Amino acid sequence: MKKNDQYHHGHLREELLRLGLESIETAGTEGISLRSLADKAGVSKAAPYRHFSDKEAYLGALADEGFRLLCIDLERADVAGTERIASMGAAYMEFAVARPSLYRLMNSPLLCRLPDGSTPWARKSLLMLAEALRKVRSDPGTEPSLDVDAAVAAWAYIHGLVLIRIDGLFPRDLPAPDWARLAAAAPSLGA
Amino acid sequence: MKKNDQYHHGHLREELLRLGLESIETAGTEGISLRSLADKAGVSKAAPYRHFSDKEAYLGALADEGFRLLCIDLERADVAGTERIASMGAAYMEFAVARPSLYRLMNSPLLCRLPDGSTPWARKSLLMLAEALRKVRSDPGTEPSLDVDAAVAAWAYIHGLVLIRIDGLFPRDLPAPDWARLAAAAPSLGA
DNA sequence: TACGTATGTTGGCAACGACAACATGCTTTA
DNA sequence: TAAAGCATGTTGTCGTTGCCAACATACGTA
């Protein structure tokens, strides 16, 4: 345990990411400011700039932190057998529903503006989905190679489904869709 | 034609929306400020607040303006026959690719925070998609009723596909998917 | 021990959203 | 027609934010 008010925080970078994950869902992505985070960390307003070149770099790091958490959930859901995709699809949707603002940040155009290699977990999570899809398809024993278009189709479906749900795009006055059933329908895609 | 520097602009609301549509793709959604728009319209910084209660109300109006444009494109693509959905799917993707920032705004969580009935064109465009889907399915002559889950499935697929494309989420170093073919695959959904 | 570097602080600037108080000009009606 | 009322635009201001420069502090290392 460190003394309370020392000049150097010690783990400010990790603390800022932790605080970001904590407040993004309550305050929304727009409600996150480096100044307010610095306040919460008990540190001056300019301190975050010692760890992140600008706000976009911080949000990029926060997004990748989100992908790290997603990878953990996907790993846990990666059961063997035919229900592999359904299980991962459900885990994927549960993650997004539990952390809607973070999920949006993770899939925002911000990511592709970041320097290559700055979001390793984002790449990892995509490869996990693609690999699971590949395994399911090669289970019958035909082609073990990855069909890019099929993977994108499945990804697009679950991604769109999740966004329509968490963004509240579906009209409130119409009968609500069966989200779980729709999420489980992902494997029937890309024939 | 009106005199140039008169006290009252006359069509400020429409002008602000027009300027917004014009600059959103070049400056990005984050780059839009009511102040800069007021400048471009040759009007003082507080003038926009006479027409929109706050920035969110303006962005909501801008989004609905986008849906109006989308409705026009969808209407044009609503050809009769079996390729109805493929045609509308292509039009949908072309719209989003041509106006990525606007498309993102139109499908942002902002919409569901707006008062009911403030985005009539958003509703219209969704109903157009659902109606087209219904027609295709009843073409064989079985059930004319709308299957909500099937409509959401098709919507989610094309929505996710478009977002993955315009947000640049697909890794640049992997072989690019065939977007057009994927978009045309929408009708095979939700069996 | 002294120096260099990483980390944190203070002060300040410009842009922005939003509000209040005021100015202007159209519209309606007495 | 004239005055009242309202819609619309202006000026001034405040608080917040991103970001930079100059400075302070502490840690590691030669």
Side-chain angles (χ1 to χ4, degrees), chain B residues 60-132:
Chain B
L62 192 60
D64 199 51
E65 192 65 12
F67 278 111
R68 192 179 62 80
L69 298 179
L70 175 60
C71 281
I72 294 175
D73 287 8
L74 288 183
E75 185 106 35
R76 208 187 323 249
D78 189 15
V79 297
T82 54
E83 37 187 288
R84 171 175 258 133
I85 293 290
S87 169
M88 288 182 83
Y92 192 91
M93 175 169 270
E94 277 164 28
F95 179 91
V97 168
R99 302 172 174 272
S101 293
L102 180 61
Y103 182 83
R104 268 190 292 268
L105 176 65
M106 288 159 57
N107 294 283
S108 69
L110 181 149
L111 268 277
C112 72
R113 287 198 301 265
L114 261 44
D116 278 347
S118 52
T119 55
W121 291 103
R123 189 185 183 82
K124 172 89 188 288
S125 67
L126 176 57
L127 291 181
M128 283 181 70
L129 283 175
E131 174 68 9

Side-chain angles (χ1 to χ4, degrees), chain A residues 4-22:
Chain A
N4 226 358
D5 31 355
Q6 43 180 21
Y7 195 91
H8 285 82
H9 183 284
H11 305 283
L12 185 54
R13 187 190 154 95
E14 292 75 11
E15 177 77 356
L16 289 174
L17 291 175
R18 200 186 59 75
L19 288 170
L21 283 181
E22 190 177 295

Side-chain angles (χ1 to χ4, degrees), chain A residues 60-72:
Chain A
L62 192 60
D64 199 51
E65 192 64 12
F67 278 110
R68 192 178 63 79
L69 298 179
L70 175 61
C71 281
I72 294 175

Side-chain angles (χ1 to χ4, degrees), chain A residues 22-43:
Chain A
E22 190 177 295
S23 58
I24 188 173
E25 300 305 337
T26 61
T29 312
E30 304 298 313
I32 286 190
S33 74
L34 293 186
R35 288 171 101 107
S36 68
L37 291 175
D39 266 357
K40 287 182 188 173
V43 117

Side-chain angles (χ1 to χ4, degrees), chain A residues 2-189:
Chain A
K2 302 221 168 186
K3 273 165 74 178
N4 226 358
D5 31 355
Q6 43 180 21
Y7 195 91
H8 285 82
H9 183 284
H11 305 283
L12 185 54
R13 187 190 154 95
E14 292 75 11
E15 177 77 356
L16 289 174
L17 291 175
R18 200 186 59 75
L19 288 170
L21 283 181
E22 190 177 295
S23 58
I24 188 173
E25 300 305 337
T26 61
T29 312
E30 304 298 313
I32 286 190
S33 74
L34 293 186
R35 288 171 101 107
S36 68
L37 291 175
D39 266 357
K40 287 182 188 173
V43 117
S44 83
K45 68 193 177 188
Y49 289 90
R50 292 292 157 186
H51 299 274
F52 304 100
S53 60
D54 55 12
K55 190 179 183 180
E56 208 167 275
Y58 170 76
L59 291 178
L62 192 60
D64 199 51
E65 192 64 12
F67 278 110
R68 192 178 63 79
L69 298 179
L70 175 61
C71 281
I72 294 175
D73 287 8
L74 288 183
E75 186 106 35
R76 208 186 323 246
D78 189 13
V79 298
T82 54
E83 36 188 291
R84 172 176 257 133
I85 293 289
S87 169
M88 286 182 85
Y92 191 92
M93 175 168 270
E94 276 165 27
F95 178 91
V97 168
R99 302 172 175 272
S101 292
L102 181 60
Y103 182 83
R104 268 190 291 269
L105 176 65
M106 288 158 58
N107 296 99
S108 70
L110 181 148
L111 269 277
C112 71
R113 288 198 301 266
L114 260 45
D116 278 348
S118 51
T119 55
W121 292 103
R123 190 184 182 83
K124 172 87 187 290
S125 67
L126 176 57
L127 291 181
M128 283 181 69
L129 282 175
E131 175 66 11
L133 201 63
R134 194 188 62 80
K135 280 182 185 162
V136 163
R137 290 177 183 257
S138 67
D139 268 353
T142 51
E143 38 167 355
S145 76
L146 175 60
D147 179 350
V148 170
D149 280 9
V152 170
W155 178 22
Y157 174 74
I158 189 71
H159 180 48
L161 201 61
V162 156
L163 281 180
I164 288 173
R165 181 174 183 188
I166 68 177
D167 286 348
L169 298 183
F170 191 82
R172 286 184 289 268
D173 54 347
L174 264 50
D178 184 344
W179 298 112
R181 195 178 75 80
L182 283 166
S188 70
L189 273 174

